[in-house]
Amino acid sequence: MIPMVNLKAQYAEIKNEVERGLAETIEKCAFILGPNVQAFEKETAEYLGVKHAIGVASGTDALHLALIAEGIGAGDEVITTAFTFIATAEAIKYVGATPVFVDIDPRTFNISPEAIEKAITSKTRAVMPVHLFGQPAEMTEIVQICEQYSLKLIEDCCQSFGASINGKQTGALGHAAGFSFFPSKNLGAFGDGGLVVTNSDETAAKIRQLRNHGSDVRYYHDVIGYNSRLDEMQAVILRAKLKRIDQYNQARRHVAHLYSELMADLPLISPYEDDLGEHVYHQYTLLCDRRDAILKALQDKQIGCAIYYPVPLHQQNVFKEECAGLSLPVTESVSANCFSLPICPFLEDDKVREIVGVIRGVLTA
Ligand SMILES: *Cc1c(COP(=O)(O)O)cnc(C)c1O
């Protein structure tokens, strides 16, 4: 049996450090916004090359609070991709804005800069690109468009911790960005967690207030806020993993490159990479018109495999009516042919060979 991600192998490596940190936290009973959250915020801001990092309760909350802090609300349009996890669009809906879904680049699966520019109207206030599967979106063009049209740029970095483009980390390129620490993400907690990053002092101050009941000073409340704090126990775990994140992402890249090399002669399309961006392979996602046969063969051998994402957002029940008549041909064709293989820092080369052997069996039969 080969799982999609092997979190047990990762835990074995950090067990002592994590257990020590958790025991200390329990001993001190400093559970909410304690020293580990503070230290983690400092360490991630440094790592990502941003002025502020604010721990929150989830990636979804990170995006939601970032939109509020950037002043996006009712009547505003936010241009984004339909080929993503639902939370990207949920955050936009939470603030009363309208997600405007545009098509993707067939190579990177990320939002197309040309499509963004075509979708701009007088109501457009923000662009929310997703660095999908750990692949940085085309940020040079997107930053330029946002500057030209005075739009807020809010990055969904929930799958891209550690990815960079032109030497800059994803999350450091827009007005604000949201990260997720869901357990299976590249930097994962042992539960939910998230982070907002920004270079703006004003945005950072608003997020700090919003995550803590609209309060800067205890029991004095300036706005209606939320209970959305990163948990102190999760911060202990995240600090241990943050120290090793480059090593983890390099190991993911090694697995991805081995897959691509071993499948180079097969009739499928492996993930695109160029030297502008450093892909951190949250997922290793391919295209093949014989996807169903491959998935069945992998399942028969108890090898993990998944479709991210089988239904693009504009075709989900929740958006069907709102998006009636919207056609996104590249998004639709990618979601009809994509599938993802197991990938994590602890997947051994011989397992990768075994998985490729199964796929080769299907495609050369
Ligand atoms: C995981 C994810 C989210 C939401 O993060 P949570 O921590 O699960 O709330 C948002 N956007 C994308 C692209 C994601 O993959």
Side-chain angles (χ1 to χ4, degrees), residues 58-61 63 84-85 87-88 130 132 156 158-159 180-182 185 192-193 282 309:
S58 70
T60 308
D61 279 9
L63 298 171
T84 178
F85 181 58
T88 312
V130 179
L132 197 72
D156 181 338
C158 289
Q159 301 187 1
S180 165
F181 304 127
F182 185 82
K185 302 287 164 101
D192 282 307
H282 173 59
Y309 294 93

